Amino acid sequence: MSMRHSVAPDPGEASRAAFADDVAHALTQNPRQLPCRYLYDELGSLLFEAICRLPWYRVARTEQSLLHTHADAIFSRLQCVSTVVELGPGSGEKLMTLLAAGPDRDVTVHLVDVSPAALDGAANALAALPSLTVVAHEATYEAGLSAIARSHHATGQALVVFLGSNIGNFDPTGTDALLRSIHATLGRGGALLLGTDLVKPEAELLLAYDDPLGVTAAFNLNLLVRVNRELGGDFDVSQFAHRAVWNAPASRMEMHLVSRSRQRVRVRESRIDLTFDAGESIWTESSYKYRVGDLELMLGRTGFQVTGQWQEDGFALTLAEAG
Ligand code: AVJ
């Protein structure tokens, strides 16, 4: 495997400043928020890996089993693929499983993630596979996709893989916008492999996002630890509680951090000085859950045609072609 890193001019400083601005903006919204992409610092990425091993969070395991079982069927429809783009590769395990059944030709793999920890992990995992060129993009999905669209001269077909229900972090407007930029990057004839968690009974969802071991609580609270460390914040982490709620009308799980008392919080780099009321919360993540019919509509209106779908245990893997 050969490996290239495409990096912004001064990634450390620039991304720190963007983080500080994003935190200032999100925490002063009504309701207060923090963007979920910042959950994945090194510890956050490890905590997410731990969540994926919990009996109550089956997304990753179910998807892994679907990929393992159907990788051959998927690639039988993708004979000419020469470029694979993965949005949010995490540990790289999903793509490994898929590419183990992959085409017998040289493939360029682009990994797009805001987390350097995730990019390193994924690139290392993929190093085990021959005839791959890996390009890592430390970027948001949108920025990564347009960089790839600009640099992409390959002759074969392109495949975007967007797994683990990562799409669930986007609200409906954001989802349509993202699917349209995926379509633009792919061009006609390109393919999208999408992994989505499906609507299931509320009790199961609550256990998946508020597990009895407290790993998800730690994952959520670590966002405050990160703000303290990287931006000079003074959050008293013990004064916030993890809360997971199922928002049925919006079809999404939400994670919040609820203030246990009236308290003041300052974040130096973000230049903010806030007062939280007891019970006031910071909304840190949405995880949308889908019905199979929603997927077809969502893909249809953004220019895709579903060509294959596999389901197991409340999870769907959908293959679609850009028309
Ligand atoms: C990685 C975004 C798909 O939303 O289910 C796990 C992250 N949050 N437990 C999800 C997560 C709480 C996960 N995604």
Side-chain angles (χ1 to χ4, degrees), residues 40 48 51 57 164-166 169 209 216 219 255 285 287:
Y40 304 91
F48 177 65
I51 288 172
Y57 188 85
S165 212
N166 282 333
N169 285 159
Y209 287 82
T216 309
F219 174 65
M255 293 205 308
E285 188 188 46
S287 302

Side-chain angles (χ1 to χ4, degrees), residues 63-278:
E63 184 176 59
Q64 193 61 30
S65 145
L66 280 167
L67 287 169
H68 185 76
T69 310
H70 303 293
D72 285 328
I74 292 166
F75 272 107
S76 71
R77 293 157 207 230
L78 302 170
Q79 288 303 319
C80 317
V81 165
S82 61
T83 304
V84 177
V85 178
E86 182 168 21
L87 305 178
S91 65
E93 207 180 337
K94 306 175 291 256
L95 196 55
M96 282 284 289
T97 305
L98 191 65
L99 290 179
D104 302 327
R105 50 151 82 209
D106 290 349
V107 171
T108 300
V109 174
H110 295 268
L111 305 174
V112 182
D113 208 297
V114 287
S115 163
L119 284 175
D120 284 350
N124 282 336
L126 290 166
L129 295 181
S131 62
L132 287 188
T133 301
V134 178
V135 187
H137 302 264
E138 188 181 330
T140 60
Y141 299 148
E142 296 277 357
L145 283 168
S146 48
I148 293 161
R150 285 193 303 272
S151 75
H152 172 67
H153 314 290
T155 43
Q157 190 185 21
L159 167 69
V160 168
V161 301
F162 195 19
L163 299 173
S165 212
N166 282 333
I167 195 173
N169 285 159
F170 291 81
D171 66 14
T173 311
T175 298
D176 280 17
L178 185 62
L179 288 174
R180 289 201 169 89
S181 18
I182 292 172
H183 191 288
T185 301
L186 284 172
R188 283 176 126 268
L192 168 66
L193 183 66
L194 185 66
T196 48
D197 201 18
L198 302 176
V199 173
K200 47 182 69 64
E202 180 172 9
E204 281 181 45
L205 288 167
L206 291 176
L207 273 171
Y209 287 82
D210 192 4
D211 64 88
L213 289 182
V215 182
T216 309
F219 174 65
N220 196 9
L221 286 160
N222 176 57
L223 191 44
L224 303 182
V225 178
R226 180 180 188 181
V227 168
N228 286 351
R229 184 186 63 241
E230 294 189 16
L231 302 178
D234 68 352
F235 278 103
D236 179 348
V237 177
S238 70
Q239 284 306 304
F240 285 85
H242 169 67
R243 180 179 295 159
V245 293
W246 168 239
N247 182 334
S251 197
R252 67 186 184 218
M253 281 301 299
E254 297 174 3
M255 293 205 308
H256 297 264
L257 291 166
V258 185
S259 178
R260 297 182 192 270
S261 57
R262 186 175 169 85
Q263 56 182 323
R264 186 172 172 191
V265 175
R266 274 157 293 195
V267 182
R268 193 190 349 103
E269 301 291 318
S270 302
R271 297 190 183 80
I272 50 173
D273 182 339
L274 310 171
T275 300
F276 285 84
D277 288 327

